[in-house]
Structures are given as structure tokens and as C-alpha cells.
Amino acid sequence: MALLVLLTGCDVGQTFHGFGWPQGGISPESKRMYDLWIASCIAALAVGVFVWGLIFWCVVRYRKRGNALPVQTRYNMPMEFLYTIAPILIVSVLFYYTAIVQTDVDKLSKNPDVTVEVVAFKWNWQFNYRDGQGTEARTTASTLGTSEVIPVLVLPTNRSIRFEETSRDVIHSFWVPELLFKRDVMPGKIRNVFEVSSLDAEGAYVGRCAELCGSYHAFMNFELRVVSPEKYDQFLAAKQSGKSTQDALSAIGEQPYATTTQPFDTRRTQDNFNPDKVPARTGS
Ligand SMILES: [Cu+2]
């Protein structure tokens, strides 16, 4: 199994399109989860091929040849022992590697390089750059999404990042598909925290809410913008000096607005809050 994990990684996964798992993770954690998935699929396929082989062998070897009842075998101890022990072994090995990867993904460091507080609310996001960990820390800069502007969460490569999540109302879920990871954002005292040990590829990645949270749940998008550490420091300094996120992004030579998604036309006021005042629609 360990050998499989080493051998597989990219090659087999790529050949089989990740066995349905999204490819192209941008954090070390996402790569480990991906490898676990690929290795599990290979293990499952190996068992599957073995079982299919046995079935077809039985079908051919013991097909009906006459009316005489074949030899009846029951209580074959070696056989019963085998098919009790083998599944337990397989499940144990899968469990072992799952526990290792899960512990690794959930691991929190003492002093992450960057701490960002993710605040979810119906139906947008606020990202607070913090000067420390936990509720005692202070926010030094903040980005707030609106109905017109998608919030852009700017983060650096090559630094460990802690996400501390809190919700103002209902349960949301912070999801960036390229992290191959999502975690629920809970209201009240529960502060869900997770870390990525680094982000390995600069770029713009769409982020979404992955927990059905109300009428405009589907519109709750944001963008993760991964930039070099130098640019990130400049961005944060610009934000801390009072610049808007858009101006600070322009200042470091980045696109000021989200490039992976755009604000949706919610028609919130028109349709939902003033149903009587809506003019007859001409269709759209
Ligand atoms: Cu939501």
C-alpha cells in the first residue's frame, strides 16, 4: 500500500482522470488527500478484479453438467477464516492511511505565517487579516464583499496560512475547489480552524459557499488570489494604510476585480421585497 502511494501520485491518477477526484490541488494537504484517494481506488480495483476473477472461474468451472447434486461443502474453516480476516485487514490498512492523512490535514501549527478570519453571512464574505490567532487577535485589514463586488482573498505562496471561520447567521461552508477541501462555517461560539502549510501555485481560484444557506446561497462566491510573498506584503501594507482592496490590488500589479467569477444579478429588491411593484417582465 505504501509502495502504491509512492508509485501512483500523478501517473495512474492522470491516466484515469483522478478516478473522479478533482485534480490540480494547490496545497501539500490537497496532494496528500489526492494520493490517498488514488491509492484507495487502486486497492479497491485490485480487490474487485480478484473477486470478479473468482466469480467467472466458478461460473465456468462449476457450471451445471447434469442433474446430480454437486459435492456440498460447508464449514470450510480455512475459507471462512480467509474471508473474515482479509476484509478486516484491508479495512485496517485503509483506515490507517486515512487516519494519517486526516490528522495531517487537520494539523494546526503554533505560529502560522498568516492568519485570516473568514466571516460568512447571508450572502457574502468578509476576510479579516489578523495579527495573531484566536478571538483575542486584532484585525489589521479587511475585505468585505458586496452585491456589486466579489470579495478577493489575497494570500501568499510559500507561507503557512490559518483560516479561522465564523458566521454571523447560519451555517455556511468555505470551499475553494483547488484546495480539495471545504469546512463548515458555524455561527455562535464555534470557530472552525484549519491550515494549509503552503499555497504552491500563484493564480486566481474561485471560492464558493458549499452549505445550503438560503435563497442566495448559490451567489455566495469569492475569489482566492494567490500572489508572491513580496506582493502580499505590499498588498497588506497598502490595505493597512487605508486603501481599498481594489486599489491595493492595482498597486501590486494585479487585476483589481475578481477574474474567476462575477456578481450575480439577484433581483433581490425587485422580485422579493416589492412583489407588487415589479413591472411585467419581458423575459430574460
Ligand atoms: Cu452560505
Side-chain angles (χ1 to χ4, degrees):
M1 187 77 180
L3 190 70
L4 277 179
V5 174
L6 285 176
L7 284 177
T8 54
C10 313
D11 302 325
V12 180
Q14 256 162 29
T15 312
F16 293 97
H17 302 284
F19 293 112
W21 185 278
Q23 292 177 285
I26 55 168
S27 66
E29 285 79 8
S30 67
K31 280 163 197 146
R32 264 167 242 147
M33 287 186 277
Y34 177 80
D35 287 347
L36 174 69
W37 171 253
I38 298 295
S40 305
C41 282
I42 292 173
L45 276 174
V47 173
V49 167
F50 178 67
V51 172
W52 291 324
L54 282 181
I55 290 173
F56 285 117
W57 178 72
C58 286
V59 166
V60 174
R61 176 76 177 75
Y62 297 106
R63 67 190 187 280
K64 188 174 180 183
R65 294 194 182 86
N67 283 328
L69 203 62
V71 184
Q72 299 296 298
T73 47
R74 248 174 285 173
Y75 307 115
N76 183 325
M77 278 315 282
M79 281 300 285
E80 299 213 354
F81 188 71
L82 184 73
Y83 64 61
T84 307
I85 291 299
I88 291 176
L89 274 179
I90 294 169
V91 170
S92 307
V93 171
L94 289 175
F95 181 82
Y96 174 76
Y97 281 101
T98 305
I100 286 191
V101 173
Q102 183 178 303
T103 308
D104 183 63
V105 167
D106 277 338
K107 194 178 58 203
L108 296 178
S109 62
K110 274 234 170 61
N111 270 311
D113 301 325
V114 176
T115 301
V116 62
E117 184 183 50
V118 173
V119 184
F121 57 93
K122 290 194 280 190
W123 284 274
N124 222 313
W125 304 88
Q126 182 169 17
F127 302 115
N128 296 327
Y129 297 88
R130 309 279 278 178
D131 64 357
Q133 291 83 52
T135 46
E136 307 290 288
R138 286 184 322 119
T139 296
T140 63
S142 180
T143 291
L144 175 66
T146 67
S147 301
E148 287 76 41
V149 180
I150 297 278
V152 179
L153 170 59
V154 180
L155 289 173
T157 53
N158 296 323
R159 288 189 190 167
S160 60
I161 293 150
R162 174 180 297 201
F163 298 86
E164 300 189 348
E165 303 177 335
T166 180
S167 166
R168 293 271 177 267
D169 35 51
V170 298
I171 302 175
H172 302 271
S173 183
F174 178 87
W175 181 37
V176 177
E178 275 76 11
L179 295 180
L180 305 189
F181 186 82
K182 53 189 167 190
R183 177 141 288 168
D184 277 6
V185 185
M186 317 291 277
K189 283 209 160 83
I190 302 166
R191 203 171 168 83
N192 272 349
V193 176
F194 73 96
E195 284 183 20
V196 293
S197 47
S198 67
L199 296 169
D200 299 332
E202 288 181 26
Y205 308 97
V206 69
R208 303 183 193 284
C209 176
E211 182 70 65
L212 184 56
C213 58
S215 311
Y216 299 103
H217 156 71
F219 302 164
M220 228 178 121
N221 286 359
F222 61 95
E223 179 170 297
L224 169 64
R225 190 79 64 82
V226 182
V227 300
S228 66
E230 299 75 39
K231 274 189 173 181
Y232 171 77
D233 290 339
Q234 290 167 20
F235 170 84
L236 199 60
K239 279 293 292 177
Q240 284 164 348
S241 74
K243 276 203 168 125
S244 73
T245 301
Q246 275 59 49
D247 288 346
L249 275 167
S250 298
I252 59 168
E254 285 279 324
Q255 289 286 334
Y257 291 96
T259 56
T260 54
T261 181
Q262 56 193 23
F264 293 85
D265 177 11
T266 58
R267 297 204 177 98
R268 207 173 285 179
T269 45
Q270 271 188 354
D271 285 8
N272 297 66
F273 299 143
N274 302 303
D276 300 329
K277 293 182 186 153
V278 177
R281 278 241 217 97
T282 48
S284 58

